[in-house]
Amino acid sequence: MAKLVQGERIGKLGKVVLGCSAIVFDAAKQKVLLTQRTDNGRWCLPGGRIDPGESAAEACTREVLEETGLEVNVERLVGVYSDPNYLIEYADGERCHVFALHFEVQEIGGTLGLSNETTAYGYFSQDEIADIDLMEHHWQRIKDSFAEQMMAFVR
């Protein structure tokens, strides 16, 4: 089970891991796609680790496909997130300070569905997101995505 731990500079207790996440808007750009994780039951953006030999865009499209069944095209870099006050702890004892590249993507195919990593999915407005159990470190990425700033945020 993945557990998010917060604390002053707690990231120094983990290894640095490069990851990515994606924002998939609905057609009206009022709601975003979130998935519910199988390991902890919490809601999050589609995403995951970037594998060796893989570009950031390749990782992003692979992760979205694996977790949602959607084929996407990377449109823009929304931001880079590396808050040292977050640490992800996994059931096997691994602890990670994640540097995440967050992208806006455009759906180009596939069929939305569940995977072995997800138990549910849905499109949510910002107001609806406030009422669900969202992974805390994804909230800033969602807000930044709605800001539609052309220059990437660095946080």
Side-chain angles (χ1 to χ4, degrees):
M1 179 166 96
K3 181 173 97 176
L4 189 63
V5 181
Q6 290 179 276
E8 184 68 27
R9 301 265 170 207
I10 197 166
K12 67 184 174 186
L13 300 177
K15 68 179 181 179
V16 173
V17 173
L18 185 58
C20 62
S21 60
I23 194 92
V24 182
F25 285 105
D26 69 344
K29 279 197 128 176
Q30 299 300 309
K31 296 185 176 193
V32 298
L33 178 63
L34 298 176
T35 61
Q36 190 171 36
R37 298 173 58 104
T38 57
D39 64 352
N40 63 16
R42 300 189 73 196
W43 290 87
C44 64
L45 294 162
R49 292 185 190 192
I50 297 174
D51 291 336
E54 186 174 52
S55 75
E58 289 169 334
C60 185
T61 58
R62 174 184 52 78
E63 286 288 346
V64 172
L65 181 62
E66 287 176 1
E67 294 179 8
T68 71
L70 296 179
E71 296 171 2
V72 298
N73 191 38
V74 171
E75 297 292 311
R76 71 179 175 105
L77 176 66
V78 174
V80 179
Y81 302 84
S82 60
D83 190 332
N85 300 314
Y86 285 109
L87 180 73
I88 298 178
E89 290 184 339
Y90 293 94
D92 64 3
E94 181 182 30
R95 297 188 297 184
C96 300
H97 174 201
V98 177
F99 279 58
L101 306 173
H102 179 59
F103 298 99
E104 180 178 342
V105 300
Q106 180 67 45
E107 181 181 343
I108 58 172
T111 302
L112 184 59
L114 298 176
S115 74
N116 63 347
E117 298 178 42
T118 61
T119 58
Y121 58 83
Y123 282 88
F124 299 88
S125 69
Q126 289 185 78
D127 288 340
E128 292 167 332
I129 292 169
D131 294 330
I132 65 173
D133 186 17
L134 179 75
M135 299 285 288
E136 295 88 348
H137 62 306
H138 285 202
W139 187 235
Q140 186 65 59
R141 299 178 202 181
I142 293 168
K143 287 180 187 176
D144 290 348
S145 298
F146 274 104
E148 294 187 11
Q149 176 176 304
M150 290 316 295
M151 290 190 60
F153 291 91
V154 179
R155 301 193 189 276

